[in-house]
Amino acid sequence: MANSFSSRPDKKRVNKALTDLCRDIHDNPGKKGPLMPFDAGADKFIIFSDQHKGARDGADIFAKCEQNYLAALHHYYEKGFTYINLGDSEELWENLFVTVKRHNKKTFEAEKLFLNDDRFIKLFGNHDLYWDNDPLAALSLTQIYGRAIKVYEGLILKTELNNKPLEILLTHGHQGDLQSDGNWFSKWFVSDVWGPLQGYLSINPNTPAYNNQLKTDHNRMMYEWSSNHSNTLLITGHTHQPVFCSMTHLEILYHNLDEARKENNVAKMSEIERQIAGLHLKGVTEPNFSGYLDSYFNSGCCCFNDGDITGIEIADHCIRLIKWNYKHKISERLMLEECRLDKLKIKR
């Protein structure tokens, strides 16, 4: 049974699902997701995914990250950012909604501040499909946010740079996955039966978040879709693996190490090697994936074992990969990568 319902991203299904989602947002804005014009110089967005808020028990992978998450939300709220949540915010495979609501009041209150200012957009993922397919979802959302809100499958941000159009499709990234994406019955079965049973029996979930090969497959398929669409960027979550300009953070570090070696910059080489060693100690391996265009990004997650969280910022004409971590028990923001939006190499 575990093999039958395991995660298996399929290229044809991925391409169709993302293309259909993009078309639906254009044809019927607000149904599956909003189509939002934005000013790259004035508007600011913070994109987080995969909190997997749980019950503050031994299985709650968000518990160590809560302080960083709250500090980050406070920072971005004060700075006037719009918060886009890419899904899997609540771990509803392993927990009942009432349990998640009871143990995550602080985080819901922090998110509610953005909602009250109309600066909050919430998408659903495979672990919180409940928001999309349960008749009680609207009531549950009212209980945690004070009012019912629409939870979308995707979102398109639209702007123009140097007289050229740019669209950014944001979605969780489980589209095309045989485990998590299908008709209403399969979605209901995965979210209400298989997911909870899998958690209860401690069955290896075999999802991209836990399997390096599936991460690589996911990244490659998402990259291929984005690279074949003109004037388009794709930002997802789902794998818990940060990707910037179509390369994982580890791949970028290896590239920077090569550059430092060419420059014979010993100090820079030493620092990059230290960062690479730290990622290897966390079990991060270098996938066999290389992007040729800068069209695919992944926000990572807010549930790393050491309490770190990663996300994507879009502000000041730039896109950035950021990390919030603990330094002497205090949360701090680190910018890992940055590029101007008008300098990205994408299909035109």
Side-chain angles (χ1 to χ4, degrees):
M1 185 177 183
N3 288 332
S4 297
F5 291 100
S6 63
S7 178
R8 298 193 305 279
D10 177 84
K11 182 177 178 178
K12 289 184 178 179
R13 288 173 61 95
V14 167
N15 288 340
K16 183 178 186 307
L18 291 177
T19 300
D20 288 349
L21 174 60
C22 204
R23 184 185 301 114
D24 285 340
I25 294 175
H26 276 285
D27 293 345
N28 300 290
K31 185 177 180 182
K32 288 195 172 183
L35 179 64
M36 291 180 54
F38 78 102
D39 184 328
D43 295 323
K44 296 182 286 188
F45 302 93
I46 176 60
I47 301 155
F48 285 130
S49 72
D50 295 87
Q51 291 78 27
H52 292 271
K53 300 172 197 161
R56 296 303 182 276
D57 53 15
D60 189 345
I61 58 178
F62 175 68
K64 291 182 180 179
C65 301
E66 182 179 29
Q67 181 181 325
N68 275 326
Y69 183 64
L70 290 172
L73 291 193
H74 175 76
H75 169 85
Y76 292 117
Y77 178 75
E78 294 296 322
K79 296 292 184 181
F81 280 68
T82 293
Y83 176 23
I84 301 173
N85 186 304
L86 292 187
D88 279 7
S89 183
E90 290 74 44
E91 179 47 72
L92 298 176
W93 281 13
E94 299 179 5
N95 306 284
L96 297 174
F97 163 73
V98 292
T99 303
V100 174
K101 180 184 72 170
R102 183 169 65 250
H103 290 281
N104 292 274
K105 293 180 180 179
K106 289 182 180 179
T107 62
F108 288 130
E109 286 299 315
E111 294 168 354
K112 186 178 176 181
L113 293 176
F114 290 89
L115 177 62
N116 291 341
D117 287 356
D118 293 321
R119 291 192 278 137
F120 182 49
I121 301 170
K122 186 175 177 67
L123 310 184
F124 63 82
N126 52 316
H127 282 249
D128 54 9
L129 276 170
Y130 172 82
W131 301 128
D132 179 54
N133 64 8
D134 195 289
L136 297 178
L139 176 61
S140 300
L141 290 164
T142 301
Q143 291 175 5
I144 58 179
Y145 293 123
R147 58 173 161 140
I149 65 171
K150 175 69 174 175
V151 182
Y152 300 104
E153 182 179 351
L155 159 72
I156 292 178
L157 299 176
K158 187 174 183 178
T159 192
E160 191 171 281
L161 303 170
N162 299 330
N163 298 317
K164 296 179 180 179
L166 175 68
E167 290 193 354
I168 305 174
L169 173 63
L170 301 101
T171 188
H172 180 66
H174 62 287
Q175 289 83 359
D177 190 319
L178 296 177
Q179 181 189 63
S180 308
D181 187 34
N183 58 36
W184 70 267
F185 177 81
S186 64
K187 288 182 178 180
W188 167 82
F189 181 79
V190 167
S191 63
D192 287 22
V193 180
W194 173 240
L197 179 63
Q198 181 176 265
Y200 177 74
L201 296 177
S202 298
I203 296 172
N204 185 342
N206 193 26
T207 67
Y210 299 95
N211 185 297
N212 285 328
Q213 183 56 48
L214 289 177
K215 286 181 184 179
T216 305
D217 291 343
H218 172 95
N219 286 339
R220 185 181 64 254
M221 292 175 193
M222 294 291 159
Y223 167 73
E224 289 175 353
W225 183 89
S226 64
S227 66
N228 285 320
H229 286 73
S230 299
N231 308 310
T232 299
L233 302 182
L234 173 64
I235 303 178
T236 72
H238 191 48
T239 67
H240 298 192
Q241 183 181 46
V243 173
F244 188 82
C245 290
S246 305
M247 291 198 294
T248 66
H249 183 48
L250 183 60
E251 288 174 318
I252 293 172
L253 286 175
Y254 274 111
H255 172 76
N256 292 343
L257 181 60
D258 287 339
E259 293 299 312
R261 284 171 176 159
K262 292 176 184 177
E263 299 167 1
N264 199 28
N265 189 330
V266 177
K268 188 175 181 180
M269 289 166 53
S270 178
E271 172 58 22
I272 294 173
E273 287 172 345
R274 183 191 65 79
Q275 294 181 49
I276 289 174
L279 289 174
H280 283 309
L281 286 173
K282 292 181 181 179
V284 180
T285 57
E286 185 178 10
N288 181 22
F289 170 76
S290 295
Y292 299 100
L293 298 176
D294 302 331
S295 55
Y296 173 55
F297 297 78
N298 191 299
S299 59
C301 73
C302 295
C303 58
F304 287 108
N305 290 335
D306 56 3
D308 290 356
I309 67 174
T310 59
I312 298 286
E313 292 177 4
I314 299 175
D316 311 314
H317 296 282
C318 294
I319 185 167
R320 306 182 183 106
L321 174 63
I322 53 89
K323 177 172 73 171
W324 286 75
N325 65 358
Y326 298 123
K327 184 175 182 180
H328 307 303
K329 299 184 179 180
I330 302 297
S331 298
E332 66 170 1
R333 171 189 170 277
L334 298 175
M335 185 176 70
L336 301 178
E337 305 293 339
E338 179 183 47
C339 185
R340 283 185 59 91
L341 289 168
D342 58 3
K343 298 298 183 183
L344 293 172
K345 297 178 294 182
I346 59 176
K347 183 178 179 181
R348 293 294 187 182

